[in-house]
């Protein structure tokens, strides 16, 4: 804390301090508080009319001009004139959108994740933003949950690496173009039962620490300025009022002294959860846990003073929270200039500029995952005619649900992208509607006719973008039947078909995998999605993405993830296709997924050889080196994500069958070979033992290096 912020604090009235802890939507300052918030009219918040313009922070604002209006209205209406700090969900880009985060993770490229966050920060800062509510680092295992699209997947290490890169990107060394990051949703929001948003989370301390907490911790270690608590309960207590999570773990154990904010109206929802009698208890629990900002409810505003007068909350607690906010405002320059980096003209020049579009395009190319390819792709550009078919083929609505300032009209559709490579050789027919319950077959015949008269077919199937994202959960992960009907009819007349898949989550597409000759998963690829897709389909770029969340064969296998614990009755891998009674398996489906974690194909082939481990014993201070030679044995220059896994063979607690411990994305020319080396340290072998101490236990560890999580161990060592 600085002298300046301490002085500001010393001049603040109690009422002013309390309102400084409140956050309202920016629309409040554009409408004078008559705005409808997600949970009803803003008037239900029972805020004092004359204090609305003295809340400390605001959210959900897009556009430089709007920012200027809102800020000047705020300053005009404010009694005390402490500048407002503006926060926004800049999730996968601000105006120039890049692929959903599950896609960016598939790039296995930390540098790319960082560059993307930098680009988003610059665009957002020029619109006057100070903070983004990102990165979302919730570990996810249930594809029914709509918010898996915002996550980087099922692996704690990879999630942590992406979290770190993203935080460094937003907050890095870019002067006025920086914004602060806010890691969320603490904790374990991704473990919602049955994949239904906001639902119960029931998780052991071990699972929480081993799988779910590491990514938040990585963000904290990377210096993230803010953290958002989750909507859900953990061990029966809503996260916003959960002292064990926020005070004991985050503040005391990890030493985080940045700003903690609740999620939207989560203070008040403690009452709905039934863990608080009323809003007063909700305010008390949140303050005792260590939550500074109340997002869009009014528990602090209504009850904090009463709690102080009753001696339940101390003035020091309130002061500490206010100071954290003031310090962040000072650090970001908001105290010096309420308009911060807003710049209407520069923002127009920078947003969607060619460099940003090029980066978004590269990201979409590197996020795409080739799931299947029976020698179909890439198509030759010399084809005489191409049929582009499918409900997602000619729409800009493929940029993802958290589109912030981005627009479908600014997004390149697959049709646009293909036309710029093939000109008039490409013709489009919709074929069917994208709604999951559509049974309308009226568009089929036209599409089949087009396929019949074309040399090859690009078939764009999958989910509409609003089928994933907050509160968009599903119980059916299959493609809609009408899309299968379309595929079947097309295959009757043309076998030269590549399916382009759009999705915000892993889908259960066993049937598609059986029938489609090629499947290219583009996720929701962002503003430049169509150009990236066309480049990949026609060989101007080569797919290199690998999935970071397992694709199940069927929803009945979920949750399914690669780094699961060993059972006492495991089924042997060679028996995967059979039912073996009294082993851990199903009657009707194998245990293995459709596509495993880390999986993705290329147009070229890679040969892994000379796997070596520098020693087969390791002292606590040693560093072992595991290395591999990787050679490009195919016909295309391409990238490959090389993965290191380790298995702790025996522990005082059961250990996962393997865990990702390193990865490196390399580029190889045709015929080129590179050696990739990973260092193994004691720190990487630690886990939460039976007494919940974070230690590495002595004994055997197996080492695996390969192209995906199904790779086999090639060596082992003893930790002594
Ligand atoms: C609710 C979402 O859960 C959270 O991720 C988001 O940051 C806030 N709303 C603010 O928009």
């Amino acid at each position: 804390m600085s002298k300046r912020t301490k002085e500001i604090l010393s001049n603040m009235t109690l009422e002013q301090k309390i309102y400084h802890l409140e956050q309202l939507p920016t629309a409040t300052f554009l409408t004078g508080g008559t705005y409808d918030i997600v949970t009803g009219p803003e008037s239900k918040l029972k805020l004092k009319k004359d204090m609305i313009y003295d809340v400390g922070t605001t959210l959900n604002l897009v556009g430089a001009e709007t920012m200027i209006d809102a800020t000047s209205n705020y300053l005009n209406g404010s009694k005390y004139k402490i500048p407002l700090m503006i926060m926004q969900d800049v999730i996968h880009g601000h105006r120039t959108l890049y692929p959903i985060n599950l896609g960016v993770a598939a790039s296995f490229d930390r540098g790319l994740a960082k560059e993307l966050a930098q680009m988003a920060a610059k665009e957002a800062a020029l619109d006057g933003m100070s903070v983004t509510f990102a990165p979302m680092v919730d570990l996810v295992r249930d594809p029914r949950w709509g918010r898996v699209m915002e996550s980087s997947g099922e692996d704690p290490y990879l999630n942590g690496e992406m979290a770190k890169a993203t935080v460094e990107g937003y907050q890095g060394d870019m002067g006025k173009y920086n914004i602060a990051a806010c890691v969320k949703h603490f904790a374990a929001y991704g473990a919602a039962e049955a994949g239904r948003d906001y639902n119960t989370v029931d998780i052991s301390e071990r699972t929480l620490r081993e799988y779910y907490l590491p990514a938040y911790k990585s963000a904290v270690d990377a210096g993230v300025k803010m953290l958002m608590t989750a909507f859900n309960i953990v061990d029966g207590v809503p996260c916003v009022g959960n002292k064990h999570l926020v005070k004991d773990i985050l503040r005391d154990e990890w030493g985080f002294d940045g700003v903690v904010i609740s999620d939207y109206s989560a203070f008040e929802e403690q009452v709905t959860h039934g863990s608080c009698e009323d809003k007063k208890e909700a305010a008390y629990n949140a303050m005792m846990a260590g939550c500074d900002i109340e997002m869009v409810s009014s528990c602090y505003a209504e009850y904090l003073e009463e709690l102080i007068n009753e001696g339940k909350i101390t003035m020091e607690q309130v002061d500490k929270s206010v100071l954290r906010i003031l310090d962040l405002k000072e650090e970001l320059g908001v105290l010096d200039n309420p308009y911060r980096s807003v710049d209407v003209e520069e923002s127009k020049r920078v947003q969607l500029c060619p460099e940003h579009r090029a980066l978004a395009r590269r990201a979409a190319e590197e996020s795409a995952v080739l799931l299947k390819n029976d020698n179909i792709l890439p198509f030759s550009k010399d084809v005489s005619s191409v049929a582009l078919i499918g409900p997602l083929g000619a729409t800009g609505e493929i940029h993802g649900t958290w589109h912030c300032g981005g627009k479908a009209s600014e997004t390149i559709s697959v049709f646009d992208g293909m036309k710029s490579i093939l000109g008039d050789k490409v013709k489009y027919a919709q074929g069917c509607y994208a709604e999951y319950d559509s049974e309308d077959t009226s568009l089929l015949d036209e599409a089949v006719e087009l396929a019949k008269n074309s040399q090859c077919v690009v078939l764009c199937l999958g989910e509409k973008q609003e089928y994933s994202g907050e509160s968009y959960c599903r119980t059916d992960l299959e493609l809609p039947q009408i899309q299968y009907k379309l595929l079947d009819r097309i295959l009757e007349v043309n076998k030269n078909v590549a399916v382009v898949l759009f999705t915000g989550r892993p889908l259960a597409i066993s049937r598609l995998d059986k029938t489609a000759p090629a499947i290219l998963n583009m996720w929701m690829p962002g503003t430049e999605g169509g150009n990236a897709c066309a480049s990949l389909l026609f060989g101007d770029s080569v797919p290199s993405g690998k999935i970071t969340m397992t694709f199940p064969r069927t929803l009945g296998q979920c949750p399914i993830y690669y780094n699961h614990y060993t059972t006492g009755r495991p089924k042997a891998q060679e028996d995967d296709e059979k039912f073996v009674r009294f082993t851990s398996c199903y009657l009707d489906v194998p245990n293995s997924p459709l596509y495993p974690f880390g999986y993705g194909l290329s147009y070229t082939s890679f040969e892994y050889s000379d796997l070596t481990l520098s020693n087969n014993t390791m002292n606590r201070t040693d560093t072992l080196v595991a290395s591999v030679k990787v050679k490009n044995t195919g016909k295309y220059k391409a990238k490959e994500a090389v993965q290191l896994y380790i298995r702790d063979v025996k522990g005082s607690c059961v250990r996962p069958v393997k865990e990702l411990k390193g990865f490196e994305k390399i580029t190889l020319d045709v015929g080129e070979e590179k050696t990739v080396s990973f260092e193994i340290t004691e720190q990487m072998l630690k886990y939460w033992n039976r007494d919940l101490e974070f230690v590495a236990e002595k004994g055997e560890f197996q080492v695996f290096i390969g192209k995906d999580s199904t790779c086999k161990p090639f060596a082992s060592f003893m930790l002594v």
Side-chain angles (χ1 to χ4, degrees), residues 21 38 57 122 158 174 182 518 528 533 543 561 588 619 675 718:
L21 304 181
V38 171
T57 61
K122 185 168 183 183
L158 184 119
M174 295 195 301
C182 173
E528 282 288 316
C533 182
Y561 48 95
D588 51 352
N619 286 308
T675 300
M718 297 296 289

Side-chain angles (χ1 to χ4, degrees), residues 24 31 101 260 263 295 311 370 413 435 447 468 486 524 626 645 670:
L24 288 177
T31 62
N101 309 79
V260 173
D263 205 341
M295 187 193 288
L370 184 63
S413 70
E435 283 65 29
S468 62
L486 176 63
M524 290 295 158
Y645 296 86
V670 175

